[in-house]
Amino acid sequence: MNILVLGSGGREHAFAWKLAQSPLCDALFVAPGNAGTAQLANNLAVAYNDFEAVATAIRQHTIDLLIVGPEEPLVKGIVNFLRRQPDLAQLRIVGPDEAGAQLEGSKDFSKGFMLRHGIPTAASRTFTVETLQEGLRYLDEHSLPVVLKADGLAAGKGVVIAETVADAQATLRDMLDGRKFGDAGNKVVVEQFLRGIELSVFVLTDGVNYKILPEAKDYKRIGEADTGPNTGGMGAVSPVVFANENFLRKVEEKVVKPTLAGLQQDGIRYQGFIFIGLMNVKGEPYVIEYNARMGDPETEVVLPRVQNDFAELMIATADGELDKVALQVSSQTAVTTVVVSNGYPDVYEKGKIITDLERLEDVTAFHAGTIAQNERVLTNGGRVLALTALANSLENAVRKSQEAARTVQFDGKQYRKDIGLDLIRYQD
Ligand code: AMP
Ligand code: GLY
């Protein structure tokens, strides 16, 4: 089978790494990929938002199975586009169509979806520029802190947690009137702040059957002890100690099953990953957000624990046969530390030479933002590498992942030194 993965980050490198281990995979392609995927697959110089170019690559390389990594092409309807090509009728695709991707593409849609299907989430209201005055008055009365979310995709920057009414009102004005997030801010969801511990649960569904993949905790802020601006993710851990069996059962009953039933009731055939961002509020799960894809860097700790043939799982998803596969998960702990460029998540430089990759031991180095040039590997993004260790204890996995982050070198290297430490303390 010829397989194509769309994307260029650590998530896609992890997909490729897992697919390359499958005897079902004859030829593996990543578009556009990075220096890490180039070591196990053929990188194609195709931008994933250029649907025509993706279709051409699929024809040229007789791709049988396509896995879409990032949200943008999904939300823009790449699956619908490919389904309209008569000669690609046999193509298997993992990733939801435009309607399913609305779970991530529109916060207003996803709040409406949760309300309609009785899925626990923070109370909220949506405002537009026409209802701005009403929104400002609503904020006058709202409990603090209050959460404001731009409706559309905003590269992880569209959520503001305001501590004062004045800040909240200024943010609402900026988003609706000032068009701070462009069209993504045409609607703004104002919601109640949930106090609790956050974790992410990943569901793989073929539209009817589903598998709950290992859960993970992400470290979103740039600074240690969760300080400073939000990033795409500075590290991740799986499993998550506070996600005990009882809590995960509630997640399945109160969130996963109603989500899948809701999609069916709404006439959406969802085939792909659903990433559910959850808040554990005194032992009860509340949905913070849905994403229509896997998380990054969560994938880099989830996949190393999945023991199944990944190509087989992906085929079963596309064929509607996930009920025929038994998920096998390692009980080991996976920890990833993300090494980033100086300045990230704001302005940063690219093109720095990465050295000492060959000295890494006992970790898998997933490339996030790298490019190969004349035998050398250069930085090519804010997040550069995700260094994953798998071990019998959380402590050992943390130690190995951190040691790898110390070992690898490039000008301006930064990483968090506290990945997983809160969970070690939680255990004790
Ligand atoms: P998002 O960009 O949607 O992932 O949101 C960014 C972060 O904002 C989440 O990971 C949470 O930490 C936080 N957040 C979003 N909604 C809420 C909420 N209702 N209550 C508390 N924190 C929230
Ligand atoms: N790490 C968070 C995300 O992938 O959205």
Side-chain angles (χ1 to χ4, degrees):
M1 189 167 274
N2 293 350
I3 306 178
L4 171 62
V5 176
L6 285 191
S8 62
R11 167 183 51 214
E12 288 77 21
H13 188 189
F15 283 159
W17 166 81
K18 197 80 180 131
L19 289 165
Q21 297 167 23
S22 167
L24 297 170
C25 180
D26 295 314
L28 183 58
F29 300 86
V30 185
N34 59 40
T37 61
Q39 290 166 10
L40 8 111
N42 306 289
N43 282 352
L44 303 177
V46 170
Y48 52 68
N49 283 321
D50 184 345
F51 298 173
E52 291 285 357
V54 172
T56 301
I58 290 169
R59 292 185 179 105
Q60 196 176 352
H61 300 287
T62 52
I63 299 298
D64 303 289
L65 169 66
L66 171 72
I67 301 160
V68 184
E71 62 277 16
E72 218 186 316
L74 293 168
V75 171
K76 289 181 173 161
I78 193 168
V79 174
N80 307 63
F81 174 84
L82 294 171
R83 289 285 176 241
R84 284 197 298 270
Q85 312 297 312
D87 62 322
L88 300 181
Q90 300 302 314
L91 177 69
R92 294 174 161 108
I93 305 177
V94 176
D97 66 7
E98 202 174 341
Q102 284 290 94
L103 279 186
E104 173 164 9
S106 167
K107 303 233 186 249
D108 181 49
F109 172 86
S110 74
K111 289 305 278 195
F113 177 88
M114 289 185 258
L115 207 64
R116 213 161 45 242
H117 300 294
I119 296 158
T121 187
S124 75
R125 276 191 57 186
T126 298
F127 297 97
T128 62
V129 75
E130 287 77 30
T131 56
L132 174 60
Q133 294 307 322
E134 199 184 330
L136 296 173
R137 284 195 299 273
Y138 181 72
L139 287 171
D140 262 330
E141 311 281 306
H142 204 287
S143 58
L144 291 169
V146 55
V147 185
L148 293 101
K149 300 183 171 182
D151 177 56
L153 293 185
K157 301 207 165 92
V159 175
V160 173
I161 298 173
E163 304 284 346
T164 66
V165 172
D167 268 359
Q169 291 177 330
T171 302
L172 189 68
R173 275 207 188 86
D174 275 355
M175 287 188 184
L176 289 176
D177 224 3
R179 299 186 53 77
K180 181 155 184 217
F181 296 104
D183 285 347
N186 282 347
K187 293 180 188 173
V188 174
V189 174
V190 175
E191 77 176 26
Q192 196 188 19
F193 180 81
L194 298 172
R195 222 170 277 281
I197 334 182
E198 224 176 310
L199 86 159
S200 301
V201 167
F202 305 93
V203 179
L204 180 62
T205 178
D206 62 14
V208 178
N209 310 290
Y210 67 92
K211 301 287 172 200
I212 300 181
L213 302 174
E215 77 284 356
K217 181 180 194 292
D218 175 21
Y219 293 77
K220 283 192 206 298
R221 304 292 195 96
I222 187 75
E224 276 145 34
D226 296 327
T227 51
N230 260 329
T231 70
M234 297 294 291
V237 176
S238 178
V240 182
V241 281
F242 58 79
N244 57 30
E245 215 175 300
N246 186 28
F247 181 73
L248 290 176
R249 197 172 324 110
K250 284 186 193 169
V251 171
E252 181 162 14
E253 294 305 322
K254 296 184 180 185
V255 177
V256 175
K257 286 183 179 171
T259 296
L260 296 175
L263 286 167
Q264 286 181 30
Q265 277 169 31
D266 291 358
I268 297 171
R269 177 100 202 264
Y270 196 111
Q271 290 180 291
F273 297 98
I274 309 177
F275 163 162
I276 309 176
L278 291 168
M279 193 71 86
N280 176 338
V281 182
K282 298 184 181 127
E284 289 298 319
Y286 286 80
V287 177
I288 295 178
E289 61 165 353
Y290 290 110
N291 294 306
R293 53 174 172 86
M294 279 299 288
D296 193 354
E298 291 90 334
T299 306
E300 293 95 297
V301 292
V302 170
L303 287 199
R305 296 189 58 223
V306 172
Q307 292 175 317
N308 297 67
D309 178 326
F310 195 58
E312 187 179 63
L313 264 183
M314 295 296 95
I315 295 164
T317 302
D319 289 352
E321 296 187 340
L322 265 181
D323 54 326
K324 302 200 173 119
V325 182
L327 191 69
Q328 285 162 328
V329 175
S330 157
S331 60
Q332 287 192 301
T333 297
V335 172
T336 200
T337 303
V338 180
V339 183
V340 307
S341 301
N342 189 28
Y344 176 77
D346 297 321
V347 192
Y348 55 84
E349 285 180 75
K350 294 184 189 179
K352 307 290 183 193
I353 299 166
I354 306 173
T355 63
D356 299 279
L357 280 166
E358 71 291 345
R359 288 180 53 219
L360 299 181
E361 275 174 24
D362 235 7
V363 289
T364 308
F366 294 114
H367 290 221
T370 68
I371 189 163
Q373 202 182 74
N374 309 325
E375 312 286 307
R376 289 195 305 216
V377 178
L378 307 184
T379 67
N380 193 40
R383 293 191 289 172
V384 176
L385 298 162
L387 302 165
T388 300
L390 193 63
N392 287 330
S393 70
L394 176 56
E395 288 82 350
N396 282 340
V398 165
R399 191 174 44 71
K400 289 181 187 181
S401 173
Q402 288 281 310
E403 193 177 307
R406 268 194 303 279
T407 301
V408 67
Q409 301 299 337
F410 60 85
D411 188 21
K413 174 185 82 169
Q414 308 283 329
Y415 64 96
R416 272 181 66 167
K417 299 181 181 62
D418 65 344
I419 304 301
L421 297 189
D422 55 329
L423 297 181
I424 291 175
R425 280 194 296 272
Y426 192 94
Q427 266 177 330
D428 293 342

